[in-house]
């Protein structure tokens, strides 16, 4: 015997007193990120959805047949936004996230300034919507995801052509007329802290625009030299050593670190 409750969208099997939800198909969303969850860095897998799907068809309710499900994020390209300034959060050694085993790990903090001369090049990914919350779990508490706080500059030279083409296709599909900008969900910082150090710009343009991008800005911050004869990759021993040394140097120059800094 069974009864259907359409308002709750569930089917109740009264013979077993269990509740079975109808199939849910998660959507994909585009998210702009800047930091160690980009390709080439150690936390990249944080924007892959990791869950489980139960393919068990027996009558018992044990865990047999449960298989891990992973939905990998897809890199779409890069996008420049204005009104955002990148900082590096130089963790106090007493902070929750500070780990002496990974002294090279650094959290960029994207602060909304509203200044059009502050610009950042984000990396865009197509992700399973369920991964958005997972990506923030265990991260600094001052971070959040905002659906329309930043706008992609679709005509900017450092915005990938593929990103611009996709955005304009969506704009036209929605019947909108502004094909020069579009909003995108992005990771931003809710607060600024005394431990924030401005990230060096990868480029200062003729009009005064200061453009940051995580890899290039961190490379400058750590004084890592890359030329035609030398290439130092993120995650390599040399890269990590340079970044750890730069972070330690910056940490020693910061005064008045808050004793309760546990971000």
């Amino acid at each position: 015997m069974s009864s259907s409750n359409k308002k709750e969208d569930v089917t109740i099997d009264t013979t077993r007193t269990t509740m079975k939800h109808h199939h849910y198909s998660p959507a994909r969303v585009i998210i702009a990120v800047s930091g160690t969850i980009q390709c080439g860095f150690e936390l990249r897998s944080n924007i892959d959805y990791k869950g489980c799907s139960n393919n068990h068809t027996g009558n018992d309710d044990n865990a047999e047949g449960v298989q891990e499900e992973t939905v990998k994020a897809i890199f779409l390209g890069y996008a420049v936004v204005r009104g955002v300034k990148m900082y590096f959060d130089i963790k106090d050694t007493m902070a929750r996230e500070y780990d002496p085993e990974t002294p090279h790990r650094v959290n960029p903090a994207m602060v909304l300034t509203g200044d059009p001369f502050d610009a950042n090049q984000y990396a865009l990914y197509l992700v399973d919507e369920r991964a958005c919350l997972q990506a923030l779990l265990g991260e600094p508490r001052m971070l959040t995801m905002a659906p329309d706080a930043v706008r992609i500059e679709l005509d900017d030279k450092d915005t990938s052509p593929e990103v611009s083409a996709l955005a304009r296709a969506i704009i036209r599909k929605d019947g909108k007329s502004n094909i020069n900008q579009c909003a995108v969900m992005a990771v931003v910082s809710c607060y600024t802290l005394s431990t924030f150090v401005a990230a060096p710009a990868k480029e200062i343009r003729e009009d005064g625009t200061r453009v940051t991008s995580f890899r290039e800005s961190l490379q400058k911050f750590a004084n890592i030299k890359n030329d035609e004869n030398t290439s130092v990759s993120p995650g390599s021993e040399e890269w990590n050593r340079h970044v750890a040394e730069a972070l330690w140097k910056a940490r020693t120059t910061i005064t008045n670190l808050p004793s309760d800094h546990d971000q």
Side-chain angles (χ1 to χ4, degrees), residues 220-235:
K220 277 193 172 185
F221 173 78
N223 197 29
I224 298 172
K225 304 297 184 183
N226 273 341
D227 53 38
E228 59 183 13
N229 299 317
T230 305
S231 179
V232 182
S233 301

Side-chain angles (χ1 to χ4, degrees), residues 16-261:
R16 300 183 60 208
T17 64
T18 59
M19 185 175 291
K20 297 180 180 180
H21 290 263
H22 288 295
H23 177 69
Y24 162 65
S25 180
R28 289 289 189 112
V29 296
I30 297 174
I31 185 169
V33 302
S34 208
T36 52
I37 53 179
Q38 291 181 215
C39 291
F41 292 90
E42 65 268 26
L43 299 182
R44 161 60 188 79
S45 63
N46 281 15
I47 52 175
D48 295 335
Y49 174 72
K50 305 175 191 67
C52 63
S53 61
N54 193 341
N55 295 323
H56 184 61
T57 58
N59 293 325
D60 57 320
D61 291 324
N62 59 31
E64 293 182 8
V66 175
Q67 298 180 349
E68 290 299 317
E69 175 192 18
T70 299
V71 183
K72 292 188 176 295
I74 300 172
F75 175 65
L76 299 177
Y78 294 100
V80 170
V81 303
R82 290 181 180 268
V84 178
K85 185 171 183 177
M86 176 187 285
Y87 291 84
F88 294 136
D89 187 6
I90 312 300
K91 297 293 182 184
D92 179 4
T93 56
M94 298 301 293
R96 170 177 60 84
E97 274 209 314
Y98 179 79
D99 182 357
E101 298 298 320
T102 55
H104 58 277
R105 183 167 295 173
V106 57
N107 293 111
M110 309 308 304
V111 177
L112 301 174
T113 66
D115 185 343
F117 293 103
D118 290 331
N120 183 65
Q121 185 187 50
Y122 276 94
L124 265 60
Y125 290 86
L126 185 67
V127 306
D128 186 301
E129 63 181 356
R130 297 168 295 178
C132 293
L133 178 59
Q134 283 188 350
L136 291 181
L137 295 178
E139 292 294 310
R141 286 172 290 168
M142 80 279 290
L143 294 183
T144 189
M145 291 183 183
D148 57 0
V150 303
R151 291 178 178 272
I152 300 173
E153 300 292 330
L154 299 179
D155 293 321
D156 193 281
K157 68 181 183 68
D158 287 333
T159 294
S160 300
E162 298 84 356
V163 169
S164 296
L166 175 61
R168 288 187 169 117
I170 295 172
I171 290 169
R172 292 188 178 99
K173 180 177 181 294
D174 289 345
K176 307 299 182 182
S177 59
N178 183 353
I179 61 171
N180 301 314
Q181 291 181 323
C182 73
V184 65
M185 181 180 290
V187 179
V188 296
S189 179
C190 299
Y191 310 102
T192 57
L193 298 174
S194 61
T195 53
F196 282 13
V197 173
K202 73 162 189 165
E203 175 191 11
I204 300 179
R205 297 178 178 175
E206 291 184 359
D207 66 354
T209 299
R210 304 168 292 273
V211 184
T212 53
S213 186
F214 179 66
R215 175 171 174 165
E216 290 86 347
S217 294
L218 184 57
Q219 183 175 314
K220 277 193 172 185
F221 173 78
N223 197 29
I224 298 172
K225 304 297 184 183
N226 273 341
D227 53 38
E228 59 183 13
N229 299 317
T230 305
S231 179
V232 182
S233 301
S236 66
E237 183 177 347
E238 185 175 358
W239 177 284
N240 291 345
R241 176 175 57 82
H242 278 286
V243 173
E245 289 173 354
L247 290 172
W248 181 257
K249 182 178 179 181
R251 188 175 292 115
T252 59
T253 62
I254 296 175
T255 59
N256 301 319
L257 280 174
S259 60
D260 60 346
H261 178 54

